[in-house]
Amino acid sequence: MNQDEYWIREALALAELGAAVGEVPVGALVVYNNQIVGRGYNSPIGRNNPVAHAEILAIQDAAKTLGNYRLLDCDLYVTLEPCGMCAGAMVHSRIRRLIYGATEPKAGAVISQDRALERSSLNHFVEITGGVLTEECSTMLSAFFKKRRQQKKEQRRQQQLLDQVGSD
């Protein structure tokens, strides 16, 4: 297993923590000198915070750990292609390299819907490597959303039964 795969597997473990508490399973970590200095998993629901994306939390954790808002020579590993907000945070924090697993066809800002990290107006360049353990990352997300759809379907069925009993 190469280094990128190793760290994406670590990010997948963080994504599982998010899924366990009902969040979309996205995990991220920041690596500096071959050590994890920041971790995060999606938690906007639990934190009531729309910016509590895995990448943002991992970047914040790394900045705190390193005592610097500039994360020079740090690499960000994430299980899903980042959105525009997270891409902006990578530029502002000076992440050296982004490594991600699955693409995000609806909101991905790195390659799918936008190329936010390639704009000539940016004052920092982030190296990009995508498609690392894509299958594992995609499978985790697909399973999560399949389960969520089944739960919503069951809730609707239960409500229909309650409505039917109430009208009798």
Side-chain angles (χ1 to χ4, degrees):
M1 173 181 355
N2 72 35
Q3 209 52 12
D4 288 347
E5 290 175 353
Y6 175 82
W7 294 121
I8 288 290
R9 286 194 194 288
E10 293 291 316
L12 279 163
L14 290 166
E16 288 175 4
L17 294 174
V21 294
E23 301 280 358
V24 174
V26 178
L29 51 91
V30 176
V31 174
Y32 175 70
N33 285 338
N34 211 31
Q35 292 188 333
I36 298 174
V37 293
R39 291 176 174 82
Y41 60 83
N42 265 12
S43 55
I45 298 166
R47 293 175 187 240
N48 294 313
N49 182 347
V51 299
H53 289 198
E55 301 94 322
I56 299 295
L57 297 173
I59 287 169
Q60 289 175 331
D61 190 31
K64 183 177 179 183
T65 298
L66 296 174
N68 194 338
Y69 74 107
R70 297 282 194 224
L71 301 178
L72 301 171
D73 299 320
C74 289
D75 300 331
L76 176 68
Y77 291 84
V78 62
T79 57
L80 183 65
E81 175 186 2
C83 70
M85 174 184 69
C86 295
M90 284 183 265
V91 170
H92 287 290
S93 63
R94 305 296 193 264
I95 290 291
R96 174 180 58 189
R97 186 169 169 244
L98 163 68
I99 304 90
Y100 68 89
T103 56
E104 195 347 348
K106 292 182 182 178
V110 175
I111 194 159
S112 296
Q113 289 296 322
D114 193 4
R115 293 186 177 264
L117 296 174
E118 298 176 19
R119 294 189 181 129
S120 61
S121 61
L122 296 177
N123 61 352
H124 177 71
F125 174 77
V126 177
E127 183 184 333
I128 303 164
T129 301
V132 178
L133 298 179
T134 301
E135 185 68 30
E136 290 92 330
C137 295
S138 295
T139 298
M140 180 181 285
L141 286 158
S142 296
F144 173 83
F145 286 112
K146 181 179 180 181
K147 182 179 177 183
R148 182 180 269 181
R149 285 189 299 274
Q150 289 171 339
Q151 288 170 337
K152 286 184 179 186
K153 184 177 180 180
E154 181 59 24
Q155 287 172 347
R156 282 192 301 274
R157 191 182 75 73
Q158 291 291 331
Q159 188 59 51
Q160 288 171 344
L161 288 173
L162 288 172
D163 291 347
Q164 188 177 24
V165 169
S167 65
D168 288 343

